[in-house]
Amino acid sequence: MGVELRDLADEVSAIARRAGTAILEIYRQNFEVETKQDQSPLTQADLASHELIKTALSGLTPDIPQLSEESEIAPFSTRQRWREYWLIDPLDGTKEFVNRNGEFTVNIALIRDHEPVLGVVHVPVQDLTYVGLIASGATCSVGATKAQPIQVRLPHATPLIVVGSRSHANPNLTGYLQKMGEHSLISMGSSLKFCIVAEGGADFYPRLGPTSEWDTAAAHAVVVAAGGEVSTLNGEPLGYNFKDSILNPEFVVVGDRSLRWREIFEPPPNVD
């Protein structure tokens, strides 16, 4: 199974890079922005990347179903029978794309038995590709250069380095982080927040706002393969395809697993 996943990782990385090239062609032009029903933005780049990835994965693994942000969501009665499937965000960070700050990614994950076992996160503007294989580790490569192993920072920095969402800041987060004592906060878009934890550039990413399963799966695999963890606020591993909704619960991304992060989310004791 390890050899199979490693071979798939190379193929999927190439697909993600091709999708990134298609995205950049549109990024460098004037483009229109539509608004989806959930009020999130949609561009030609989202759709071009989606079509390229869908076609390429169908040719690579015709028997594995796909779930993409830009596809129709199969009913849970169908999805609950999937032991494995591709979970795709063709352009994560569309707001960052529209704002032209470069902080957007292509995310492709293979889910097996509710967990991501392979994840590829490609950063088109930097031609940077992160790959996570749960069984064998995480890597990062620039362009066609040889992939280099990455790992989370152990032990975590003092003061702690926290990464947060650039476009979806949560006002409650400040109060929670105050409980952690001295720390620095980096704002960043898309699944790059996971990746900076995976490569040791930050220690902690708490996400208290809404996300969908395709937003997190690929980078989740990268973090875990690099030695970190992605957990719900009650300490359970973040899982996939357990329910009808594709929305994630609130979660945290942690590099050093010994970090006592759960204490900051504990409710204050009742005072009579």
Side-chain angles (χ1 to χ4, degrees), residues 126-146:
Q126 300 179 56
D127 198 11
L128 193 64
T129 307
Y130 296 91
V131 178
L133 284 165
I134 296 300
S136 56
T139 62
C140 181
S141 60
V142 180
T145 61
K146 181 178 175 59

Side-chain angles (χ1 to χ4, degrees), residues 14-266:
I15 292 169
R17 289 194 299 271
R18 283 163 46 204
T21 298
I23 288 170
L24 288 179
E25 289 177 359
I26 297 168
Y27 187 62
R28 293 172 179 141
Q29 305 171 10
N30 292 324
F31 53 83
E32 296 182 357
V33 182
E34 301 177 25
T35 301
K36 296 192 286 189
Q37 287 186 341
D38 64 359
Q39 301 305 305
S40 62
L42 176 69
T43 71
Q44 298 159 280
D46 296 82
L47 300 176
S49 178
H50 165 73
E51 289 297 330
L52 189 154
I53 294 169
K54 178 181 72 171
T55 301
L57 288 180
S58 295
L60 178 65
T61 55
D63 297 328
I64 299 180
Q66 302 176 29
L67 178 60
S68 167
E69 179 174 11
E70 307 309 334
S71 65
E72 184 176 347
I73 300 176
F76 186 58
S77 57
T78 298
R79 288 188 284 116
Q80 66 183 346
R81 298 195 296 269
W82 293 353
R83 177 182 173 265
E84 65 177 359
Y85 66 101
W86 294 108
L87 185 54
I88 306 152
D89 193 339
L91 202 173
D92 181 36
T94 303
K95 288 185 178 180
E96 318 308 330
F97 178 90
V98 171
N99 291 332
R100 297 185 185 273
N101 67 19
E103 294 177 354
F104 52 87
T105 58
V106 177
N107 297 340
I108 307 175
L110 181 65
I111 308 296
R112 282 184 177 165
D113 296 325
H114 306 288
E115 69 173 317
V117 294
L118 160 63
V120 173
V121 177
H122 178 66
V123 190
V125 168
Q126 300 179 56
D127 198 11
L128 193 64
T129 307
Y130 296 91
V131 178
L133 284 165
I134 296 300
S136 56
T139 62
C140 181
S141 60
V142 180
T145 61
K146 181 178 175 59
Q148 300 298 316
I150 59 173
Q151 64 180 31
V152 299
R153 175 163 43 212
L154 297 173
H156 61 75
T158 304
L160 200 70
I161 300 177
V162 180
V163 64
S165 177
R166 184 182 299 283
S167 297
H168 303 276
N170 188 303
N172 295 325
L173 181 59
T174 301
Y176 285 118
L177 292 180
Q178 286 177 346
K179 297 181 182 180
M180 303 196 80
E182 188 180 358
H183 64 275
S184 60
L185 179 63
I186 302 170
S187 294
M188 188 172 293
S190 75
S191 58
L192 282 169
K193 296 183 288 295
F194 286 76
C195 296
I196 192 173
V197 174
E199 66 185 2
D203 304 294
F204 186 50
Y205 164 39
R207 183 54 187 250
L208 305 183
T211 58
S212 296
E213 293 183 359
W214 47 62
D215 293 319
T216 58
H220 180 164
V222 174
V223 167
V224 174
E229 67 178 8
V230 182
S231 304
T232 64
L233 298 190
N234 64 8
E236 297 295 323
L238 187 65
Y240 296 83
N241 202 33
F242 277 111
K243 59 190 186 308
D244 180 63
S245 171
I246 48 79
L247 292 178
N248 288 318
E250 296 177 326
F251 64 86
V252 297
V253 179
V254 182
D256 182 352
R257 293 171 181 248
S258 70
L259 179 67
R260 298 170 65 179
W261 60 266
R262 291 185 67 179
E263 295 177 3
I264 73 169
F265 296 108
E266 291 178 352

